[in-house]
Amino acid sequence: MKKLMIAGMAVLMMACKSENQAFHFDEMTYSPRETVFKLFAPADAACFVVVGNDSVKMMLGKDSIWTATVKGDRKGQSYEFVVNGQASPGVFAKAVTVNGQKGVVVDLKDTNPEGWEADGHVFRPYNDLIVYEMHHRDFSIARADAKRPGKFMALTEPWAIDHLKELGVNAIHILPSYDYGSVDETRLNEPQYNWGYDPVNYNVPEGGYSTDPYTPEVRIREFKQMVQALHKAGIAVILDVVYNHTYDIEHSNFQKTYPDYYYRKTEEGYSNGSGCGNETASEKPMMRKFMIESVKYWINEYHIDGFRFDLMGVHDIETMNAIRKAVDEIDPTIFIYGEGWSAGQCAYPLEKLGVKANIPQMPRIAAFSDEIRDALRGPFDDDAKAAWLGSGIRIFKSSDLAGFKESMKFGIAGAIAHPQVDMTKVNYSKEPWATEPTQMISYVSCHDDMCLFDRLKTSLPGVSKDELIRLDLLAQTAVFTSQGVPFMLSGEELLRTKQGVHNSFESPDSINHLDWSNKEKYPQVFNYYKNLIALRKNHPAFRLGKADLVRKHLEFMDAPEKVVAFRLKDHAGNDTWQNIIVILNSSRSSVEVSIPEGHYTQVCCDGAIDEQGLGETEGSSVTISAQSAMILHD
């Protein structure tokens, strides 16, 4: 054991030296005259690279970097590294054969679609973002007029772009789109489904979403065409990245090139903070460097506008800040956020990890707020439990209702310190964890949980569909009028259902697909979402972006037990409306709420939104219909 520890320290020291070297994971550098291969592997290993039919011995250089130069034009040839008999495409392959088994020598300029050089990032301040989370297959597989359903290219088609623009979202969060392991690209004619949280080749688009996984350049070009089409529509593209674990250990490219270097271990074996059998060691210099260079590669080569870090709480703070710094040097408008938790205990000190409580140590990096999510609809770990949305139907103790309300207020303020939020009553967090409201992601549903309609139906059995729709719209009103960055699951605007399935990561299309007929079946739902998004976009009071401005202009109002009310006052954010009042009523009956004396125009009432006005009211009180929101301004 002592010898192993000393050897491990020696490896770490060698890698620390290499952190500042010129090696940037360019494992394959092509030119028509020669192709240079590099690999980080143990100094005592036997390393070869097999290019086409040629096996070339690699030479050990400084800091465990192995190199081989292969003469001639090798474009189009496959390659694999062999380290002590273990073959892999390396850790940073940029093009691969079907199922990612081998790397391929490519000239990436050949993969650029026409006009790619003119494509650029969609500049947008963080507080203006409206994020729409989607899975490629879910979104398009059941669309009758989709020419390439389930593929990257579906998002280039007019129907897709038109829907997204009509809805008004301006950033698409695409679930993992790199090469992952659970879909066999040689059997795409058979039903297969997975979310993609099982990474294989982190820097190559998934072949299952391409029209031809056998031709390496196709998946690269089609991914770029997708980004280009969304950018032309003014929509940013956010990539879901899963650096916290690999599909497995034994077959991972990390393990095949440098055994045990990239993973955290305990005395019992491999640590499992990801809940997927392993956790990567972001604090190790070459893993950190891999993550930084991978993010930069997706930005520079694919023009990605943002990143969502899966289980960010597995990664160390120093690495996350190093990524933010490297990204800022390219484009500081690129948005970075993640899950501020892990799925289990990590083999690294909690105070050094990128968990939600440590967000103040990670400037300009955001995290999801489970406080507002669970205060609205109930806890993640018990589908049968309701919360504030069900308070008009279920019986709760006054202390529970107070906790729901205070947690919602915390979320509405953007998880910052606010003088009217009593942190002793907030769920999960007893201290504010965001220093700016743009560090909080506001949401009520996402891919890895029940969609909103199903959650409401499960936790409130026997409730009518009309009532469920009212609660659905009420929930999203809280999300989209909060000061955090709003986030929604694709299909919620269509009253999406997954037939009650909670974790649909490998459920069939019959469960996961979007039912596009619902757009006509429930027009009031789509129109409400569309108008709610437009309301947020048109009125800066809802997205002040700075904590000081939120504390200055956001004022919570006294309201009955099942009502949350607040005012955005004094032309907040230079809004054209002087004072905006938002009242959220979860009660099953109408409720009268006191407001400052004045003459007001109602723009949201009884499940409808119209910025031009739905009616006028005058006086010092208003009556809010059951299970609905009211928004009015003077």
Side-chain angles (χ1 to χ4, degrees):
M1 176 64 75
K2 189 174 181 181
K3 288 181 179 179
L4 286 173
M5 289 178 65
I6 293 171
M9 288 175 65
V11 166
L12 185 59
M13 288 174 67
M14 282 194 299
C16 285
K17 290 180 183 178
S18 67
E19 186 175 19
N20 295 318
Q21 300 295 319
F23 178 56
H24 294 297
F25 283 99
D26 289 329
E27 291 181 338
M28 185 282 299
T29 305
Y30 165 79
S31 78
R33 290 184 296 107
E34 62 184 26
T35 300
V36 179
F37 295 91
K38 292 183 179 180
L39 191 69
F40 176 61
D44 59 355
C47 296
F48 295 83
V49 61
V50 180
V51 189
N53 296 319
D54 298 326
S55 180
V56 181
K57 187 175 181 179
M58 302 187 78
M59 304 303 293
L60 177 63
K62 293 181 179 180
D63 306 321
S64 292
I65 305 300
W66 295 78
T67 304
T69 300
V70 182
K71 299 296 183 181
D73 192 343
R74 299 292 179 143
K75 184 163 66 171
Q77 293 186 7
S78 65
Y79 69 87
E80 57 185 343
F81 297 101
V82 182
V83 179
N84 291 340
Q86 291 285 318
S88 79
V91 303
F92 211 101
K94 298 174 182 177
V96 294
T97 60
V98 68
N99 279 333
Q101 294 176 342
K102 295 183 179 182
V104 178
V105 178
V106 295
D107 185 345
L108 286 165
K109 293 194 297 294
D110 296 341
T111 68
N112 292 344
E114 184 178 352
W116 184 244
E117 294 76 13
D119 182 76
H121 299 295
V122 175
F123 170 80
R124 188 167 280 113
Y126 300 157
N127 55 310
D128 288 351
L129 288 166
I130 296 167
V131 183
Y132 184 88
E133 181 195 48
M134 69 157 63
H135 182 278
H136 295 287
R137 193 171 179 90
D138 294 2
F139 187 72
S140 57
I141 197 66
R143 179 77 185 199
D145 54 346
K147 296 178 181 178
R148 288 152 294 193
K151 306 297 183 183
F152 294 132
M153 291 298 287
L155 285 174
T156 69
E157 296 174 16
W159 67 266
I161 297 294
D162 289 348
H163 176 78
L164 296 171
K165 289 179 70 175
E166 183 185 11
L167 180 60
V169 293
N170 56 30
I172 301 302
H173 162 161
I174 48 177
L175 262 63
S177 301
Y178 50 68
D179 182 49
Y180 59 84
S182 51
V183 168
D184 185 346
E185 296 170 6
T186 68
R187 298 187 297 113
L188 296 181
N189 58 322
E190 302 173 19
Q192 296 181 79
Y193 186 94
N194 206 280
W195 284 338
Y197 291 94
D198 46 352
V200 175
N201 292 292
Y202 282 92
N203 301 292
V204 186
E206 162 61 22
Y209 298 141
S210 74
T211 60
D212 178 9
Y214 292 90
T215 305
E217 294 85 357
V218 170
R219 64 179 77 189
I220 300 173
R221 183 179 301 107
E222 290 181 344
F223 190 100
K224 290 178 177 179
Q225 287 175 285
M226 172 192 70
V227 172
Q228 186 180 43
L230 290 165
H231 281 177
K232 284 181 178 177
I235 298 171
V237 181
I238 296 170
L239 190 66
D240 199 327
V241 288
V242 189
Y243 298 115
N244 66 85
H245 71 274
T246 57
Y247 187 27
D248 62 12
I249 295 177
E250 180 186 355
H251 300 100
S252 81
N253 298 331
F254 287 152
Q255 192 72 346
K256 287 180 176 181
T257 56
Y258 207 130
D260 288 358
Y261 176 82
Y262 292 97
Y263 298 97
R264 294 187 186 131
K265 300 185 77 173
T266 66
E267 290 183 358
E268 288 74 36
Y270 294 100
S271 185
N272 187 24
S274 71
C276 298
N278 61 83
E279 73 187 67
T280 54
S282 60
E283 71 280 3
K284 291 187 179 180
M286 289 302 275
M287 182 62 198
R288 177 178 294 160
K289 194 163 188 63
F290 172 81
M291 292 172 64
I292 293 169
E293 296 300 327
S294 177
V295 165
K296 288 167 61 178
Y297 177 70
W298 281 104
I299 295 169
N300 292 325
E301 187 64 37
Y302 290 97
H303 302 176
I304 292 298
D305 305 289
F307 296 87
R308 177 267 195 190
F309 280 77
D310 186 62
L311 295 181
M312 186 171 67
V314 170
H315 302 314
D316 68 294
I317 295 168
E318 188 176 346
T319 295
M320 291 307 303
N321 284 335
I323 290 170
R324 178 73 266 178
K325 182 175 183 292
V327 169
D328 284 347
E329 290 172 0
I330 301 171
D331 185 344
T333 70
I334 290 170
F335 190 46
I336 295 177
Y337 60 104
E339 293 180 296
W341 46 75
S342 61
Q345 185 174 352
C346 295
Y348 203 68
L350 183 64
E351 65 270 16
K352 295 183 178 182
L353 292 173
V355 295
K356 194 174 55 177
N358 293 333
I359 285 291
Q361 299 178 55
M362 298 187 287
R364 298 175 55 251
I365 294 176
F368 288 89
S369 171
D370 49 349
E371 293 91 357
I372 189 171
R373 179 196 71 191
D374 290 4
L376 282 165
R377 51 120 233 223
F380 177 82
D381 59 359
D382 191 342
D383 299 335
K385 282 188 178 179
W388 182 81
L389 289 166
S391 62
I393 301 166
R394 292 283 189 91
I395 297 174
F396 291 100
K397 295 183 294 185
S398 291
S399 59
D400 289 335
L401 289 170
F404 298 153
K405 284 186 65 170
E406 217 62 30
S407 301
M408 286 175 60
K409 288 166 59 180
F410 177 69
I412 287 166
I416 63 166
H418 190 285
Q420 290 180 284
V421 176
D422 182 353
M423 293 301 301
T424 65
K425 297 178 182 177
V426 173
N427 57 7
Y428 312 142
S429 298
K430 299 310 173 186
E431 293 182 2
W433 49 261
T435 56
E436 300 290 359
T438 49
Q439 287 186 289
M440 190 202 91
I441 304 294
S442 181
Y443 76 122
V444 71
S445 65
C446 66
H447 71 276
D448 63 350
D449 199 356
M450 282 185 166
C451 47
L452 180 54
F453 181 82
D454 288 349
R455 176 59 191 245
L456 291 168
K457 188 176 181 180
T458 301
S459 60
L460 303 170
V463 174
S464 70
K465 182 171 284 188
D466 286 346
E467 197 167 4
L468 291 172
I469 289 174
R470 290 202 298 273
L471 292 171
D472 180 295
L473 304 183
L474 179 61
Q476 298 290 14
T477 310
V479 168
F480 281 91
T481 59
S482 78
Q483 292 294 324
V485 175
F487 172 106
M488 65 174 287
L489 173 65
S490 68
E492 297 288 23
E493 74 278 17
L494 308 175
L495 202 65
R496 183 178 187 175
T497 177
K498 292 195 240 176
Q499 310 305 321
V501 176
H502 181 289
N503 188 3
S504 66
F505 76 100
E506 57 181 3
S507 297
D509 293 331
S510 58
I511 297 297
N512 281 305
H513 77 285
L514 299 196
D515 184 350
W516 288 95
S517 68
N518 278 8
K519 193 170 183 179
E520 285 72 45
K521 197 180 298 181
Y522 305 109
Q524 76 277 30
V525 174
F526 179 79
N527 288 333
Y528 191 94
Y529 275 69
K530 176 181 71 173
N531 293 333
L532 181 61
I533 289 169
L535 186 69
R536 181 182 180 89
K537 290 168 75 172
N538 293 340
H539 291 279
F542 295 117
R543 43 187 175 82
L544 294 171
K546 294 294 182 182
D548 289 343
L549 289 177
V550 173
R551 284 186 283 266
K552 179 180 178 181
H553 294 286
L554 171 61
E555 175 184 75
F556 291 101
M557 299 162 56
D558 291 335
E561 197 173 45
K562 299 171 186 177
V563 175
V564 174
F566 60 93
R567 181 169 68 139
L568 295 161
K569 59 185 182 180
D570 303 329
H571 295 288
N574 294 317
D575 204 296
T576 55
W577 292 347
Q578 181 173 339
N579 296 288
I580 303 172
I581 295 174
V582 178
I583 306 173
L584 310 167
N585 176 24
S586 67
S587 174
R588 228 171 183 173
S589 58
S590 59
V591 175
E592 186 174 350
V593 177
S594 297
I595 60 174
E597 180 82 33
H599 181 87
Y600 297 92
T601 300
Q602 296 177 3
V603 295
C604 173
C605 183
D606 295 328
I609 296 175
D610 186 343
E611 282 186 65
Q612 303 309 309
L614 294 166
E616 306 289 319
T617 186
E618 189 144 7
S620 58
S621 68
V622 289
T623 300
I624 318 302
S625 298
Q627 297 168 322
S628 71
M630 177 177 285
I631 302 175
L632 54 162
H633 70 89
D634 61 5

